[in-house]
């Protein structure tokens, strides 16, 4: 039996640790299980990644013991553990944190300080010998008896600090003891009543006889169902059980999903010749049972989803499993309904809009082998299937596949890696493939499948560019006329503006004052509905002032435009039209997303205003007009991919028009009508855009012709963050001189485009190179050499590996 376990702790700590296994646990502990560990004065969850006969020599005398095993069987199989290790190495991120990302929420136990009053604290409270803040805090602690430190800090935010609580402990007023934060999600257990046999006529009281007769017809029911029918039958059931007429048992049940598909029939369509040719080639790859990567370049409305469904059918026939990734906002009831119509109960859903319990249940369905398909946003790439046959990434170009918090993985890249490791078929689909994907297809790394025609031969919509330099107001004459015509013809319209709120910012014209977020380097956005100023990065908000606080001026003006103001403008221009709005502000409630789309689907909504939520995953035949209010919003963003993002957004939004029998029309308003991304989108010319954008990228040495790693520094102190950034620059230059990172070029360090975000000051440095191995070697060494300095100054180093394919 092994005596030592190597663990990765679920904390931002890069190294792995060794613990002794208590004798009574040695038969039970296996690789892939969670364990509870003592760690630096607290308890944390760790993941067993290896079992050893003896400890490493340097740790032999210092090892502590595992406190508990948290699982009966391993949560992580060897194949998934190997995948997690690869991710940790590639993204230079702690393995324990990688595993946490891949598991559903609620499986991570950790210590949490628990507060209680000492005898002196209770006496001080009863004698009224405390200050007003102390009295309120102590009263709250006394009310609960024991309460978490986190809960008190949250309730008294701005009134009491962590250091104050510990100072009261030093004075003998408070106990602060280690406890376990019990946020673990557990399976939902349901009581079940089973019929065992009838009683002799007239031998039971009336209510018992009535319930037993009802049970006889159904044989087995849940206790909750019984309660709905008979009120509170607890005593009656206990009596029937004591007499041997019913059995009482328990079973695991799954929570109802908050995002429910709309069940309706979807006839199996006839394939076009292009669809048939693409599908046949994909099925050949599926039947070979080895890694076969395909890029489907199909125009909007060309029927890519039907190809996905039929490829999955073939994989299921082989007894294998499927993972389907879609952008988060494309996970619509319409798409879910189509998948459920084809595959029924074999489908699970992994999505951030689900509750913690719902996500846990869906993950368990996959883990237990009860379903064969995982459909979800980027996190579905971690679905714990053991025999994956196909991985599909729809709208593979979409930026939402990149996670921007903590582990900065790209789900599309991980799909490539997982398909390669599992010898599965890979389908990447898009009307506007990313430059990296199309470049890989050109190089022969992906097999390119092209579908140039819409289903049923429907034409692509006509796109008209309006130069706003000659226009007045928010909407051009052309767009207003097109909207009026559509309303008269009982057709529907979409208006796209990728900026929410009423005004981008508030300006005082007397003194030039603007209202800035105290936590971020941005102005606050004005929201008319609740008359507030809000930061869209950290969610800071304050009531909007009536006068300028700087000069007392009364003429505050809203500058710029968001979806809220656009909605108001449309309502005033077309008072008889039914106008809806879809953005983060209107979809924050459960099911609000579905309600808005139902309005469009039923024909009730004439015009829907929205952000990019309205441009993806929707197929409404009566939408014949799409208006892009400002094509320039994404064009001038400080990102080398801004032109590509603009082309993709315009092409995708144009693709919502004319998906039924009526011809589609698109009006694009812009102050840059000559820009190649806008002109190529007008002509639906992806190849032309790809060639022109590639020239720019090749000349500047940007992906797909190089690899990038961004080193970001975050700190509470502006000065200390700057000092660490200077140190980072010196280390980087020294590494290049000493031969680390051959061919690597350094840009920076410099202040990040957003110098402050969520209260943290930010600096960054970009490393660029053609060799991924040299670039990673350079990044690893820089992180090691900078770690001590950054830690001493309280600065965090964040390493962001730019999305590229690893083939």
């Amino acid at each position: 039996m092994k005596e030592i376990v190597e663990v990765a702790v679920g904390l931002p700590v890069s190294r792995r640790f060794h613990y002794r296994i208590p004798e009574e646990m040695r038969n039970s502990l296996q690789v892939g299980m969670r364990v509870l560990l003592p760690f630096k004065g607290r308890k944390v969850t760790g993941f067993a990644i290896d079992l050893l006969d003896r400890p490493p020599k340097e740790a032999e005398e210092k090892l502590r013991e595992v406190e508990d095993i948290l699982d009966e069987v391993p949560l992580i199989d060897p194949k998934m553990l190997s995948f997690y290790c690869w991710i940790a190495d590639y993204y230079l991120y702690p393995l324990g944190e990688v595993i946490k990302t891949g598991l559903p929420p609620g499986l991570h136990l950790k210590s949490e300080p628990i507060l209680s009053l000492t005898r002196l604290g209770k006496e001080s409270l009863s004698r009224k010998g405390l200050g007003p803040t102390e009295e309120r805090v102590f009263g709250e602690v006394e009310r609960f008896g024991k309460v978490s430190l986190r809960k008190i800090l949250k309730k008294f935010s701005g009134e009491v600090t962590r250091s104050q609580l510990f100072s009261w402990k030093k004075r003998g007023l408070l106990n602060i003891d280690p406890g376990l934060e019990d946020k673990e999600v557990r399976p939902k257990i349901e009581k079940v009543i089973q019929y065992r046999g009838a009683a002799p006529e007239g031998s039971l009281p009336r209510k018992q006889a009535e319930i037993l007769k009802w049970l006889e017809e159904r044989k087995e029911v849940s206790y909750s169902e019984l309660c709905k029918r008979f009120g509170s039958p607890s005593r009656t059931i206990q009596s029937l059980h004591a007499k041997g007429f019913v059995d009482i048992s328990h079973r695991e049940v799954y929570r109802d999903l908050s995002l429910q598909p709309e069940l309706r029939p979807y006839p199996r369509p006839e394939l076009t010749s292009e669809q048939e040719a693409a599908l046949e080639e994909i099925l050949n790859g599926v039947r070979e049972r080895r890694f076969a990567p395909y890029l489907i370049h199909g125009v909007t409305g060309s029927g890519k989803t039907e190809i996905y469904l039929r490829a999955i059918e073939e994989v299921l026939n082989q007894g294998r499993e499927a993972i389907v990734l879609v952008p988060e906002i494309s996970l619509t009831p319409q798409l879910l309904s189509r998948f459920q119509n084809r595959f029924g109960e074999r489908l699970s859903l992994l999505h951030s809009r689900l509750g913690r319990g719902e996500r846990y249940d869906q993950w368990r369905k996959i883990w237990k082998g009860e379903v064969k398909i995982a459909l979800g946003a980027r996190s579905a790439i971690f679905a714990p299937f053991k025999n994956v046959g196909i991985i599909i990434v729809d709208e593979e170009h979409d930026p939402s596949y990149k996670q921007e918090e903590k582990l900065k993985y790209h789900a599309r890249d991980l799909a490539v890696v997982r398909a390669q490791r599992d010898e599965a078929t890979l389908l990447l689909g898009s009307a506007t493939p990313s430059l990296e994907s199309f470049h890989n297809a050109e190089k022969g790394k992906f097999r390119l499948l092209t579908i140039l025609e819409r289903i049923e031969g429907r034409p692509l919509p006509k796109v008209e560019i309006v130069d706003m330099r000659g226009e007045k107001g928010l909407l051009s004459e052309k767009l207003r006329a097109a909207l009026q015509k559509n309303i008269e013809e009982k057709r529907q319209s979409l208006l796209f503006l990728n900026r929410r709120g009423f005004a981008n910012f508030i300006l005082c014209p007397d003194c030039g004052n603007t209202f800035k977020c105290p936590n971020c380097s941005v102005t606050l956005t004005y929201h008319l509905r609740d008359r507030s100023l809000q930061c869209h990065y950290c969610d800071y908000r304050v009531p909007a002032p009536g006068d300028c606080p700087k000069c007392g001026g009364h003429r505050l003006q809203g500058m710029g435009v968001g979806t809220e103001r656009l909605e108001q403008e449309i309502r005033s221009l077309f008072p008889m039209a039914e106008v809806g709005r879809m953005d983060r502000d209107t979809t924050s409630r459960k099911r609000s997303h579905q309600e808005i789309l139902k309005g469009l689907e039923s024909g009730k909504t004439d015009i829907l205003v929205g952000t990019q939520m309205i441009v993806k995953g929707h197929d409404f035949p009566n939408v014949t007009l799409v208006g892009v209010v400002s094509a320039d919003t994404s064009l001038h963003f400080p990102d080398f991919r801004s032109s590509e993002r603009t082309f993709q957004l315009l092409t995708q939004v144009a693709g919502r028009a004319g998906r039924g029998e009526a011809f589609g029309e698109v009006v694009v308003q812009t102050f840059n009508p000559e820009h190649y991304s806008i002109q190529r989108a007008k002509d639906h010319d992806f190849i032309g855009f790809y060639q022109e954008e590639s020239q720019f990228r090749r000349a500047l040495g940007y992906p797909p012709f190089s690899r990038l790693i961004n080193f970001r520094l975050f700190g509470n102190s502006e000065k200390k963050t700057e000092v660490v950034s200077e140190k980072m620059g010196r280390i980087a230059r020294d590494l290049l001189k000493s031969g680390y990172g051959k061919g690597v070029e350094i840009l920076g360090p410099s202040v990040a485009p957003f110098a402050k975000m969520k209260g943290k000051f930010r600096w960054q440095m970009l490393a660029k190179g053609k060799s991924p191995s040299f670039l990673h070697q350079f990044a690893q060494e820089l992180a090691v050499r900078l770690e001590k300095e950054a830690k001493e100054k309280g600065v965090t180093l964040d390493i962001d590996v730019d999305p590229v394919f690893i083939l």
Side-chain angles (χ1 to χ4, degrees):
M1 289 186 293
K2 306 290 185 181
E3 296 182 13
I4 304 299
V5 61
E6 183 180 355
V7 297
V9 293
L11 296 169
V13 181
S14 296
R15 61 174 285 224
R16 299 165 196 182
F17 299 89
H18 297 87
Y19 284 79
R20 290 193 185 279
I21 309 170
E23 198 166 335
E24 66 273 15
M25 296 183 190
R26 288 175 189 171
N27 280 328
S28 307
L29 185 55
Q30 300 174 53
V31 169
M33 287 181 167
R34 294 174 303 147
V35 288
L36 190 64
L37 306 166
F39 186 84
K40 295 187 177 178
R42 52 182 168 156
K43 297 173 185 177
V44 300
T45 301
F47 305 97
I49 58 175
D50 200 6
L51 300 176
L52 310 171
D53 291 313
R54 58 183 63 86
K57 286 182 180 178
E58 66 275 9
E60 200 161 352
E61 298 300 321
K62 300 179 270 182
L63 295 189
R64 302 175 74 182
E65 286 194 339
V66 171
E67 287 208 1
D68 199 2
I69 301 173
L70 300 176
D71 303 307
E72 293 179 8
V73 293
L75 283 186
I76 307 158
D77 65 36
K79 193 185 282 188
M80 280 304 291
L81 183 56
S82 172
F83 184 46
Y84 288 139
C85 289
W86 184 93
I87 293 167
D89 290 342
Y90 182 75
Y91 287 103
L92 305 169
Y93 205 74
L95 177 58
E97 292 283 274
V98 171
I99 295 172
K100 267 176 65 179
T101 304
L103 294 178
L107 290 180
H108 189 70
L109 295 177
K110 62 181 180 182
S111 286
E112 179 176 49
I114 302 296
L115 308 184
S116 61
L117 293 184
T118 63
R119 185 176 174 182
L120 178 60
K122 289 176 182 177
E123 289 173 357
S124 300
L125 184 63
S126 63
R127 290 199 315 264
K128 304 287 185 184
L130 299 168
T133 302
E134 290 172 307
E135 191 170 319
R136 285 199 306 277
V137 172
F138 282 35
E140 186 75 5
V141 174
E142 186 183 46
R143 189 163 70 89
F144 285 100
K146 290 186 176 183
V147 63
S148 73
L149 181 142
R150 179 182 47 81
K151 193 168 185 176
I152 290 295
L153 287 176
K154 185 176 181 180
K155 184 171 179 65
F156 296 97
S157 176
E159 292 184 70
V160 67
T161 64
R162 190 183 181 94
S163 60
Q164 276 178 290
L165 292 173
F166 276 89
S167 73
W168 293 336
K169 180 191 175 185
K170 284 181 182 176
R171 286 165 52 193
L173 300 170
L174 274 182
N175 292 316
I176 302 182
D177 301 309
L180 267 183
E181 179 185 39
D182 190 10
K183 284 191 172 181
E184 188 171 21
V185 178
R186 296 176 179 88
K188 184 179 179 182
I189 303 299
E190 179 180 69
K191 188 192 287 187
V192 178
I193 313 300
Q194 293 158 314
Y195 175 79
R196 282 185 62 181
E201 187 73 30
S203 64
L204 292 176
R206 186 181 59 79
K207 187 166 185 182
Q208 289 184 25
E210 186 184 350
I211 289 177
L212 194 60
K213 188 170 188 252
W214 189 79
L215 281 170
E216 185 179 5
E217 296 169 4
R218 290 158 181 79
K219 303 304 180 192
E220 180 181 291
V221 296
S222 69
Y223 184 69
S224 58
E225 190 180 343
L226 198 68
C227 288
K228 284 179 187 174
R229 177 70 175 78
F230 296 100
S232 301
S234 176
R235 286 186 180 178
T236 308
I237 292 298
Q238 290 299 331
S239 296
L240 288 170
H241 180 246
K243 294 171 184 176
F245 296 128
V246 298
D247 275 337
I248 301 173
S249 60
H250 295 83
R251 67 185 176 195
E252 181 182 348
V253 293
Y254 296 119
R255 297 160 179 91
D256 293 332
L257 288 178
S258 54
L259 189 68
Q260 287 286 358
E262 298 165 350
L263 294 175
R264 56 182 179 175
Y266 279 90
R268 196 178 179 90
E270 289 286 321
L271 297 183
T272 66
S273 57
E274 285 184 317
Q275 281 177 306
E276 281 185 344
L279 180 62
E280 188 55 40
E281 189 161 345
I282 291 165
L283 293 182
N284 288 337
V286 170
R287 290 167 190 141
E288 289 174 2
R289 287 176 172 260
R290 60 182 176 80
F291 178 54
Y294 298 92
L295 173 63
I296 305 176
H297 174 212
V299 297
T300 53
S302 60
K304 295 185 287 295
T305 303
E306 184 60 32
I307 293 175
Y308 303 154
L309 295 172
R310 298 201 188 193
I312 292 169
E313 286 174 337
E314 179 63 28
V315 167
L316 298 192
N317 289 339
Q318 294 180 354
R320 303 180 80 187
E321 298 139 347
I323 296 174
V324 184
L325 305 184
V326 296
E328 184 121 350
I329 56 179
S330 295
L331 262 178
T332 60
Q334 197 178 49
L335 179 71
L336 297 182
S337 178
R338 193 162 173 189
F339 268 81
Q340 198 157 71
N341 177 260
R342 190 71 59 94
F343 301 114
E345 295 303 311
R346 293 179 289 177
L347 178 71
S348 71
L349 178 66
L350 295 172
H351 189 273
S352 69
R353 288 210 296 270
L354 300 178
R356 287 158 58 92
E358 293 169 337
R359 288 166 74 184
Y360 174 79
D361 284 353
Q362 295 296 307
W363 184 89
R364 273 178 68 81
K365 279 185 179 181
I366 298 167
W367 182 73
K368 291 163 75 174
E370 294 178 4
V371 294
K372 294 293 182 184
I373 305 163
L375 171 66
R378 59 178 177 252
S379 62
I381 193 58
F382 300 111
F385 285 129
K386 295 175 176 61
N387 189 19
V388 176
I390 192 167
I391 301 178
I392 297 167
V393 186
D394 188 33
E395 308 292 1
E396 64 83 30
H397 67 277
D398 197 281
S400 69
Y401 285 126
K402 172 76 183 297
Q403 176 158 296
E404 296 296 346
E405 299 291 329
K406 297 186 176 179
L407 171 62
K408 292 177 169 53
Y409 70 92
H410 199 294
R412 177 196 59 203
D413 290 3
L414 293 190
V416 177
V417 176
R418 186 163 183 189
Q420 194 174 33
R421 295 167 76 91
D422 289 356
E423 296 191 329
T425 299
L426 173 74
L427 297 188
L428 306 176
S430 178
T432 54
S434 63
L435 261 70
E436 289 82 6
S437 297
F438 205 78
H439 182 71
N440 274 335
E442 275 196 333
K443 295 292 182 185
K445 293 179 179 179
F446 297 155
R447 302 181 206 178
L448 180 64
L449 306 173
T450 305
I451 307 176
L452 297 175
E453 288 190 10
R454 281 183 159 187
I455 52 175
E456 298 179 3
R458 293 171 188 153
L460 288 165
K462 177 190 173 187
V463 181
E464 187 167 339
I465 307 295
V466 177
D467 185 351
M468 293 300 286
R469 290 173 294 191
E471 298 281 342
K472 292 180 180 178
L474 192 55
L475 301 182
S476 62
E477 288 290 337
K478 172 68 186 173
L479 186 51
R480 282 202 295 268
L483 286 167
Q484 182 64 49
K485 182 168 177 281
N486 238 31
I487 292 169
E488 291 168 0
E489 294 178 353
K490 307 293 184 189
R491 304 285 186 190
Q492 293 170 297
S493 308
L494 299 180
L495 286 181
F496 168 65
L497 177 63
N498 210 18
R499 185 178 284 134
R500 62 191 175 98
F502 187 83
N504 300 352
F505 61 95
I506 298 286
L507 172 77
C508 175
D510 296 327
C511 69
N513 181 46
T514 58
F515 298 83
K516 293 185 173 64
C517 175
N519 307 313
C520 309
S521 301
V522 294
T523 52
L524 296 170
T525 301
Y526 177 56
H527 288 251
L528 179 66
R529 185 178 60 177
D530 57 0
R531 300 194 178 276
S532 67
L533 294 174
Q534 299 179 20
C535 175
H536 291 173
Y537 294 92
C538 72
D539 288 329
Y540 171 84
R541 62 183 64 203
V542 290
D547 299 324
C548 176
K550 189 174 179 182
C551 71
H554 309 302
R555 298 191 303 141
L556 294 179
Q557 295 177 5
M559 309 299 290
V561 60
T563 47
E564 197 178 18
R565 183 178 163 197
L566 177 59
E567 178 192 19
Q568 187 186 70
E569 179 100 352
I570 296 300
R571 288 184 186 279
S572 65
L573 285 171
F574 307 103
M576 303 303 292
E578 189 69 38
V579 182
R581 173 161 61 94
M582 192 172 184
D583 55 25
R584 209 177 89 182
D585 298 323
T586 61
T587 57
S588 56
R589 290 181 298 104
K590 262 192 177 182
R591 301 187 187 277
S592 53
H593 190 274
Q594 291 153 269
E595 289 165 12
I596 294 168
L597 292 178
K598 269 186 182 175
L600 201 63
E601 188 174 18
S602 65
K604 180 185 173 186
T605 303
D606 298 310
I607 302 170
L608 181 63
V609 172
T611 57
Q612 59 180 338
M613 284 184 174
I614 69 171
V615 308
K616 297 168 187 175
H618 311 307
D619 191 347
F620 299 112
N622 199 39
V623 172
T624 56
L625 173 67
V626 171
V628 179
V629 176
S630 174
D632 311 307
T633 307
S634 58
L635 193 58
H636 300 300
F637 204 73
D639 183 349
F640 70 89
R641 288 191 172 94
S642 60
S643 296
E644 182 181 9
R645 297 267 192 268
T646 301
F647 173 82
Q648 289 166 345
L649 264 177
L650 294 181
T651 304
Q652 292 290 336
V653 74
R656 298 310 107 197
R659 294 173 83 100
E661 293 178 4
F663 189 69
E665 181 184 6
V666 181
V667 177
V668 178
Q669 299 185 161
T670 175
F671 288 93
N672 296 272
E674 302 87 8
H675 196 280
Y676 64 91
S677 65
I678 293 173
Q679 286 296 323
R680 297 296 187 184
K682 169 182 174 288
D683 298 331
H684 308 282
D685 181 10
F686 170 77
I687 299 298
F689 173 79
Y690 171 77
Q691 291 170 343
E692 199 159 350
E693 180 70 5
S694 292
Q695 290 177 6
F696 158 72
R697 301 273 185 94
R698 186 181 282 109
L700 294 178
Y702 281 120
F705 306 102
S706 70
R707 308 288 178 99
L708 297 178
I709 295 182
N710 196 0
F711 300 90
R712 294 196 185 101
L713 295 172
F714 304 88
N716 293 323
S717 163
E718 187 174 10
K719 181 63 181 172
K720 287 179 180 178
T721 309
E722 184 178 358
V723 168
V724 176
S725 75
E726 290 168 356
K727 176 81 171 180
M728 179 171 69
R730 287 195 297 274
I731 292 172
R733 288 187 289 274
D734 290 344
L735 285 173
L736 293 182
K737 285 176 188 173
S738 61
Y740 272 97
K742 185 179 178 184
V744 172
E745 179 187 347
I746 294 297
L747 303 174
S750 61
V751 176
F754 291 106
K756 191 181 181 187
M757 187 71 70
K758 297 180 181 178
K760 303 286 185 182
F761 295 95
R762 296 151 40 103
W763 282 69
Q764 68 180 35
M765 180 179 75
L766 201 65
K768 187 163 62 169
K770 293 190 175 180
S771 166
S773 58
F774 284 140
L775 205 53
H776 267 70
Q777 181 190 43
F778 171 83
Q780 284 173 323
E781 188 61 27
L782 186 141
V784 168
R785 297 194 187 187
L786 188 62
E787 183 179 19
K788 186 180 176 184
E789 175 87 11
K791 195 172 182 179
E792 285 174 356
K793 296 282 194 299
V795 173
T796 302
L797 171 63
D798 183 71
I799 300 175
D800 187 358
V801 181
D802 190 70
V804 288
F805 288 115
I806 309 93
L807 283 179

